[in-house]
Amino acid sequence: MRLHMFDQSYDFACGIADLRQHLRMQLPFTAPSSATRQHRTPKIFSGWALDRAIMLDCACSGLLASTLYFGPTRRQAVFLVMASIDWLGQAEIACRLQRAIEGTVAPGQSDAAVIGRAILLLRRPRDLVRALFGSVPDGLVGALQRLGHDPVGGPETYQELQRLFFSSAAADRRRVKVLGQMAGSLLGAQIEIVSLLDPVLLNPTFVSNVYETKQVAELNAALAYVRARCSGATDDAVGSSLSRLKPGDHRSTLYKWWIHRFDRLPRTLDTKGDPTLVILGSAEALSDAGRRYANCLKSKVGEVYVGNYVYIEYRPAAPEPGAIAELRVTTQGFLLEGLYARKNCKVRPERAAAVRRKLAACGVALYDHAPDEQDIVAAAAQVLNYYNFAEPDNTGWGVEFDEPPANDLEELEIVASEAA
């Protein structure tokens, strides 16, 4: 059914109908003043709430027109009453409301008529809620006001709202407290979100940035992953991180913080007890190696955290320089994608060959080339301009160096002379 704006003649007709009804029941009737009408703008609504308002209006003429002028708190209280038909039933609701307006309803009126009259007569939202549920929990009226003029979800959303505020369970009291601590308007989805989120994530700043219930499963799973990868991710520690969130921070901020505290690899490599192969198995180890090798290993923390890569440091006896091996995780194990000396310089061929042998002994797959002589394959690649084919994992077959460039050597000599 399409809802059109009511013109003045229709409003007048509804007012006359209400007047006649009040006169029949010997009730005082106060017509809305013209000043009040001028300062109120009717606000339409739709969906299940409109369907039920029309049903009640058929039994209580003028109800629908009146609800268009209700403020947000009273409108949401009406939605709560109409939604409760799903879990209480129309007869039970009429029975409860009739006690609150006893003596004002003509005998034999239908349940829908009783409900409609109660909605019109119980003008204060808290009176309507008290008549239906027996009491008004702290914070419920304020929450109704913050939901705005429109229905927020289906009847199940209002059922969860009613359950939360009337529950005595400690977990539900905490959820209600979070709703009250959130700034600004409430989204209907957030009523269900606080019920579905992992209890550790119940922080008002965090919940304010969650808008859809379908996001909850992802956020809960991401928290489970944090707990699996970070030994320090206790409930208290995660709660402390949440308290650092600022208004406007994206919900992913929490998880990005914990990436840099991981200390458990999703997958690891058996180095066969080789002391020269050291797995960089934590964010701290990656950052430390990044400083020592003057490279971007710190930026790879996220890739390692989610299991895309594993990095191994080759630590030979001094003074031989080390190297970083970049291993790509595959369904068949690990693949060596690159070997890097300090500042991402190439590794000397003999040293690269030694590291490759060690990694191969641990089951790491290596890039290969056509089964021909090196010179033949290299010549074929060069003719076709496939130069990268000759250096599949940054070890290459040509002349390579891992010493610092000449400019760096000069800089070191200057520093040494100044120190002397």
Side-chain angles (χ1 to χ4, degrees):
M1 174 179 177
R2 250 175 141 181
L3 183 64
H4 297 277
M5 298 296 293
F6 292 90
D7 57 20
Q8 292 183 351
S9 61
Y10 183 83
D11 287 341
F12 180 76
C14 290
I16 292 298
D18 279 352
L19 175 59
R20 288 173 178 167
Q21 184 74 0
H22 277 277
L23 289 174
R24 283 199 297 269
M25 294 188 290
Q26 297 181 342
L27 290 175
F29 178 81
T30 303
S33 66
S34 58
T36 301
R37 281 296 182 108
Q38 289 175 358
H39 287 86
R40 289 185 183 179
T41 301
K43 297 182 181 297
I44 62 174
F45 54 93
S46 59
W48 67 270
L50 176 59
D51 292 338
R52 296 190 182 182
I54 292 172
M55 179 268 294
L56 295 177
D57 185 79
C58 290
C60 179
S61 179
L63 171 71
L64 179 57
S66 296
T67 58
L68 299 184
Y69 289 92
F70 287 176
T73 312
R74 190 178 182 188
R75 179 89 71 96
Q76 291 295 337
V78 172
F79 293 153
L80 178 60
V81 171
M82 295 192 298
S84 65
I85 293 174
D86 277 14
W87 68 91
L88 292 177
Q90 191 168 288
E92 176 62 22
I93 294 172
C95 181
R96 295 183 184 186
L97 294 180
Q98 188 165 19
R99 299 191 193 104
I101 58 172
E102 190 172 2
T104 65
V105 179
Q109 284 201 319
S110 67
D111 294 334
V114 173
I115 296 171
R117 296 310 303 161
I119 289 173
L120 291 175
L121 293 174
L122 300 174
R123 295 176 177 275
R124 298 175 62 206
R126 64 175 55 255
D127 291 339
L128 187 58
V129 172
R130 183 180 292 107
L132 183 57
F133 298 110
S135 63
V136 184
D138 292 340
L140 176 56
V141 174
L144 293 174
Q145 181 182 24
R146 294 167 62 202
L147 289 173
H149 283 88
D150 297 321
V152 288
E156 65 278 359
T157 300
Y158 288 90
Q159 183 174 12
E160 183 60 16
L161 176 70
Q162 187 266 335
R163 188 196 69 78
L164 283 176
F165 276 88
F166 282 86
S167 173
S168 59
D172 289 332
R173 301 313 305 157
R174 184 182 175 193
R175 294 182 176 104
V176 167
K177 182 178 180 181
V178 169
L179 289 175
Q181 291 172 332
M182 292 167 60
S185 300
L186 280 179
L187 299 178
Q190 288 171 332
I191 295 168
E192 296 170 281
I193 285 169
V194 295
S195 296
L196 298 173
L197 270 177
D198 187 296
V200 175
L201 296 176
L202 290 176
N203 173 278
T205 305
F206 183 84
V207 177
S208 294
N209 286 298
V210 186
Y211 309 109
E212 300 177 3
T213 53
K214 64 182 182 181
Q215 296 169 338
V216 174
E218 180 182 88
L219 296 172
N220 286 346
L223 178 61
Y225 195 81
V226 167
R227 288 168 169 154
R229 301 279 74 84
C230 308
S231 62
T234 63
D235 288 354
D236 288 342
V238 174
S240 178
S241 296
L242 284 166
S243 67
R244 294 165 52 197
L245 289 174
K246 299 177 182 178
D249 282 344
H250 193 268
R251 55 185 176 274
S252 64
T253 302
L254 170 70
Y255 302 95
K256 289 178 180 177
W257 283 341
W258 280 97
I259 282 177
H260 296 283
R261 298 173 68 178
F262 92 87
D263 55 5
R264 296 171 180 162
L265 286 173
R267 289 175 180 156
T268 189
L269 175 69
D270 183 3
T271 60
K272 309 297 182 183
D274 189 334
T276 65
L277 298 179
V278 180
I279 297 175
L280 304 178
S282 69
E284 183 180 1
L286 287 164
S287 297
D288 175 66
R291 287 190 297 270
R292 289 186 288 108
Y293 282 82
N295 60 24
C296 61
L297 269 178
K298 185 176 181 180
S299 69
K300 302 294 184 181
V301 168
E303 294 273 21
V304 177
Y305 174 78
V306 298
N308 287 341
Y309 287 94
V310 170
Y311 289 88
I312 292 182
E313 182 183 358
Y314 170 59
R315 292 183 187 174
E320 182 184 353
I324 299 294
E326 182 179 61
L327 308 184
R328 186 69 165 91
V329 180
T330 74
T331 57
Q332 301 301 313
F334 299 93
L335 169 68
L336 176 63
E337 283 204 343
L339 282 175
Y340 304 92
R342 192 172 184 275
K343 292 189 175 181
N344 288 333
C345 292
K346 293 180 180 179
V347 181
R348 285 184 177 275
E350 64 274 12
R351 187 173 299 121
V355 177
R356 284 163 62 92
R357 284 194 299 271
K358 286 175 174 286
L359 294 174
C362 298
V364 176
L366 309 175
Y367 283 115
D368 201 358
H369 56 76
D372 287 302
E373 293 296 327
Q374 172 183 332
D375 292 342
I376 295 176
V377 177
Q382 185 171 358
V383 168
L384 297 172
N385 290 325
Y386 293 150
Y387 294 103
N388 61 324
F389 179 81
E391 300 178 1
D393 62 357
N394 205 24
T395 60
W397 295 336
V399 178
E400 294 158 340
F401 304 94
D402 58 3
E403 290 85 0
N407 290 341
D408 286 358
L409 289 173
E410 293 174 3
E411 183 181 30
L412 289 173
E413 291 175 358
I414 294 172
V415 172
S417 63
E418 289 177 350

